[in-house]
Amino acid sequence: MAYLPDDILYMICAQLWHQQDFNTLFNCACSGKQLATVALTNLYRMHDVAPVISGGSDEELPHDKSCRMSYAIKMSQEERIVMKWAGLWRTIILSSLGKTLYPYSQYIRTLNLQDLEELLTDSKFKAGTVEDFFQGDLAQFRVDKGAEIRGRSRLDAVEIINRVGEAITKQTPLLEELTGKVSSEALSRWIPRLPRLTHLKPWHGVAVEGNGNLIRLHCPLFKGLDFWKWDDSNANDGLAAFLNELRPHSLQSFETFSHPHVPATLQALSGHGESLVNLNLNFISMGTLPTLSLLKGCTNLVSLSLAGIGYDDTDLEESYKYAYLEIINWLKECKKLRILAFSKLFSAPSLMAPILLEESIHLTSLEYESYDFPDSKKFHQALANQTSLQSLWLKGDTDEGDVSDTLVESLSNLVNLTDLRLREVSDTFSDRHILQLANSLPKLEVWSTSGYGLTDAILGAVASLRSLRRLDIGALTSFTADGILGFVERLGPGNKGLILAVMNADMDSELSGPEQELIQERIARKVEGRFEFTLSRDPDGVSSFEGDSD
């Protein structure tokens, strides 16, 4: 019998890892000793994206009405998923104690203790799996809170994940990323064990306080910090100190989702200006927005996301003229910028327009949420210059009367778009606007739009989009069953898996149950797709598109 060389087997399993093919890797691991180690190495290397993580999803469950499951069957399936989820974590923990055939924990690259906390607080886990999970060698990790609820002890999830982390990090020499509600004291013990650590994602930023020098000494590859909040009185000084303790110009990614940004923090970030490529700042108040000019040394950014604390109609250009110009000059110097996102910042259109017009900047992704600005026309016109855009998300109202024509003219120039999501800003789109976009943007794969009074007239042009995989129409529509069936018949191989969601149909254009079932049957047979249909709930017939689709 001929055997493949080990290096070929390694290459095969590495390719399966890239494809996230869990089933095939599992079968390889079960096939024999020759493949077991290399297959398991790649399986646990990506355990954090396993289908059962976070309780799985219902995406693979039948969606057509003929295949609806009973409530009991659905609950049983969900319980089985939770059992597999718990089994994965139990195996990882046991392996760190040397109680498994293979040292699974040594293969781990990402340790997401946040996911373990979600498991421990899951209602189905607490109801049926918790006792089995903490039996035997795992009994030492169980910590209960004093009070009981309905006769069951309450788990202290945070203390448990810190105990588990203490054990696992002793056996994870390849660990690169750590996530969860870890304490500063625990992290100070773990860091010296993690020479390959590149990224920290603690829930509370206070976890990194005082640990910058340890990372500098023991983690030469460290390059990223994300945290949700840091709300104690020493937050700003603590964060600035941590950033300054790291090797200068070593941090490549920094994201925070609920933290006030003050000059000390921004100045410390500028100490990583040569290395920083991803910057995501949230919770920006109008008072701190002008201080963003302190980031002028961070000109190697590839991705930048800025979000405000809430609506504030202060005009940055008018109130802080010098800072306004400094911020624009900084952004125009970011020649490598490819991804740009703004949210809840009143002055964002006037900040972005000069960036969009900069010939040396070629964006591939742009997001702008919650804008209501009297001069949005300049921003919409400037969009036409960014022909490299592949993804564009816009959400917001505007006072400009001709916003639809101006916006559609600019969008029509963005011939490389594959993902276009418009909400509210497209509320006045009519058939002619949709037709112009469908005829101008041949590469669209995902398209979400609102609008008003859309009819069957648009369906032929939209069906000609050979790569379209998702179409969400939040506009008030009056599609007919024949029109939608004709649309389905025009679809081709490139539309495989298409989801057609008509989310705001006019009450006078309601499709009957048999008509909806026929459309679902046809789209499933033609492209293995899915049809979703919802009537308008607005008696005045105004577009009420809600929510972005992923």
Side-chain angles (χ1 to χ4, degrees):
M1 180 182 293
Y3 291 93
L4 289 173
D6 288 345
D7 55 346
I8 298 298
L9 296 177
Y10 179 86
M11 292 173 62
I12 292 173
C13 289
Q15 185 62 35
L16 293 171
W17 169 76
H18 280 292
Q19 297 172 358
Q20 294 190 359
D21 191 338
F22 288 90
N23 290 335
T24 304
L25 276 173
F26 178 77
N27 290 332
C28 289
C30 296
S31 66
K33 291 183 178 180
Q34 187 182 19
L35 263 177
T37 299
V38 65
L40 288 169
T41 299
N42 284 281
L43 265 177
Y44 280 87
R45 183 182 177 187
M46 61 177 179
H47 81 281
D48 56 303
V49 291
V52 297
I53 287 295
S54 298
S57 70
D58 64 352
E59 290 185 359
E60 297 183 0
L61 300 179
H63 289 274
D64 57 291
K65 295 180 180 179
S66 63
C67 296
R68 284 180 176 170
M69 294 180 295
S70 69
Y71 176 78
I73 294 175
K74 185 173 187 297
M75 292 296 290
S76 176
Q77 285 197 353
E78 291 177 354
E79 289 170 359
R80 284 199 295 271
I81 290 174
V82 171
M83 290 178 64
K84 292 180 179 179
W85 184 15
L88 174 61
W89 272 108
R90 183 174 166 82
T91 301
I92 292 172
I93 299 170
L94 285 171
S95 72
S96 71
L97 302 176
K99 301 295 183 177
T100 55
L101 180 62
Y102 291 94
Y104 306 120
S105 61
Q106 295 186 18
Y107 309 148
I108 290 174
R109 305 295 179 90
T110 299
L111 180 59
N112 186 354
L113 294 174
Q114 188 68 33
D115 181 74
L116 176 58
E117 182 183 359
E118 290 177 13
L119 170 66
L120 296 173
T121 55
D122 186 275
S123 59
K124 294 180 180 61
F125 173 81
K126 292 187 290 185
T129 312
V130 61
E131 299 302 329
D132 291 336
F133 185 84
F134 285 108
Q135 69 177 349
D137 292 298
L138 264 63
Q140 61 184 297
F141 298 104
R142 179 163 183 165
V143 182
D144 292 323
K145 294 182 179 179
E148 292 189 354
I149 298 179
R150 298 176 183 175
R152 292 199 300 265
S153 298
R154 297 172 58 205
L155 296 175
D156 189 337
V158 174
E159 178 61 27
I160 291 172
I161 66 171
N162 276 273
R163 289 190 178 190
V164 168
E166 183 71 31
I168 293 180
T169 54
K170 293 177 181 178
Q171 300 295 329
T172 50
L174 301 179
L175 192 68
E176 298 173 357
E177 184 176 300
L178 176 63
T179 302
K181 291 181 182 177
V182 300
S183 68
S184 177
E185 294 76 12
L187 198 57
S188 66
R189 295 193 301 272
W190 302 353
I191 287 173
R193 310 169 186 165
L194 308 174
R196 296 176 65 90
L197 186 68
T198 64
H199 215 123
L200 275 175
K201 297 182 178 181
W203 180 265
H204 298 287
V206 70
V208 303
E209 187 172 18
N211 286 318
N213 285 322
L214 277 175
I215 290 175
R216 181 172 182 162
L217 179 62
H218 297 284
C219 308
L221 304 177
F222 186 78
K223 61 183 179 181
L225 172 66
D226 304 357
F227 64 87
W228 180 258
K229 64 178 181 178
W230 191 342
D231 49 15
D232 69 11
S233 58
N234 192 46
N236 295 307
D237 291 339
L239 178 56
F242 171 81
L243 294 171
N244 287 325
E245 288 169 359
L246 299 176
R247 288 180 296 108
H249 304 291
S250 62
L251 199 67
Q252 296 180 23
S253 178
F254 179 79
E255 300 188 23
T256 173
F257 300 96
S258 180
H259 177 75
H261 307 286
V262 298
T265 300
L266 300 179
Q267 193 67 53
L269 280 172
S270 69
H272 299 274
E274 295 178 11
S275 58
L276 201 62
V277 295
N278 174 51
L279 180 61
N280 184 343
L281 302 179
N282 291 266
F283 218 68
I284 301 173
S285 68
M286 192 59 224
T288 58
L289 182 60
T291 63
L292 291 180
S293 59
L294 292 172
L295 295 170
K296 60 186 178 182
C298 302
T299 56
N300 286 318
L301 291 175
V302 174
S303 175
L304 173 65
S305 178
L306 302 174
I309 194 173
Y311 185 78
D312 188 328
D313 61 0
T314 303
D315 188 330
L316 180 65
E317 181 179 7
E318 183 177 307
S319 303
Y320 303 94
K321 182 71 173 181
Y322 180 77
Y324 167 81
L325 294 175
E326 285 281 287
I327 293 172
I328 287 180
N329 288 335
W330 160 50
L331 294 175
K332 290 172 70 173
E333 288 301 314
C334 298
K335 309 299 185 184
K336 299 177 182 178
L337 195 62
R338 296 295 179 267
I339 302 171
L340 182 61
F342 281 78
S343 176
K344 300 178 183 178
L345 292 174
F346 179 78
S347 296
S350 64
L351 287 173
M352 282 200 289
I355 313 308
L356 298 178
L357 294 172
E358 183 66 30
E359 294 297 333
S360 57
I361 293 178
H362 306 286
L363 299 177
T364 58
S365 176
L366 176 64
E367 296 183 26
Y368 188 18
E369 180 182 353
S370 301
Y371 67 97
D372 182 4
F373 195 76
D375 199 23
S376 60
K377 183 176 181 180
K378 292 181 179 178
F379 164 64
H380 291 154
Q381 290 174 329
L383 281 172
N385 193 57
Q386 290 294 321
T387 56
S388 55
L389 276 172
Q390 299 173 20
S391 175
L392 177 63
W393 294 24
L394 298 177
K395 174 183 178 293
D397 296 322
T398 179
D399 295 329
E400 296 292 328
D402 62 345
V403 61
S404 294
D405 290 341
T406 303
L407 180 56
V408 169
E409 284 299 323
S410 288
L411 294 179
S412 297
N413 287 311
L414 307 181
V415 295
N416 290 304
L417 278 180
T418 60
D419 188 341
L420 176 61
R421 310 193 194 196
L422 306 174
R423 183 177 168 192
E424 295 177 21
V425 72
S426 56
D427 279 356
T428 57
F429 279 17
S430 63
D431 279 356
R432 67 181 179 87
H433 297 116
I434 300 299
L435 285 169
Q436 182 174 342
L437 291 176
N439 291 323
S440 303
L441 307 176
K443 297 181 181 181
L444 280 182
E445 298 175 9
V446 177
W447 189 2
S448 297
T449 184
S450 53
Y452 188 82
L454 302 188
T455 69
D456 288 352
I458 70 168
L459 295 177
V462 176
S464 69
L465 297 171
R466 298 291 83 185
S467 300
L468 193 65
R469 299 292 183 87
R470 175 103 198 188
L471 178 61
D472 290 332
I473 303 178
L476 190 72
T477 57
S478 56
F479 298 144
T480 65
D482 287 342
I484 297 176
L485 288 170
F487 166 83
V488 172
E489 289 306 310
R490 293 184 180 94
L491 298 175
N495 304 119
K496 184 177 180 180
L498 173 73
I499 298 174
L500 170 60
V502 178
M503 309 298 292
N504 195 32
D506 191 291
M507 296 289 289
D508 294 331
S509 301
E510 181 177 4
L511 299 179
S512 67
E515 286 175 327
Q516 293 184 49
E517 291 179 4
L518 177 60
I519 294 170
Q520 173 58 53
E521 186 273 328
R522 292 280 182 86
I523 197 171
R525 184 175 63 190
K526 182 74 174 181
V527 293
E528 301 178 25
R530 191 166 83 238
F531 176 62
E532 300 173 0
F533 183 81
T534 306
L535 283 175
S536 172
R537 286 180 265 179
D538 189 334
D540 297 322
V542 178
S543 175
S544 58
F545 182 38
E546 295 181 357
D548 294 325
S549 299
D550 294 324

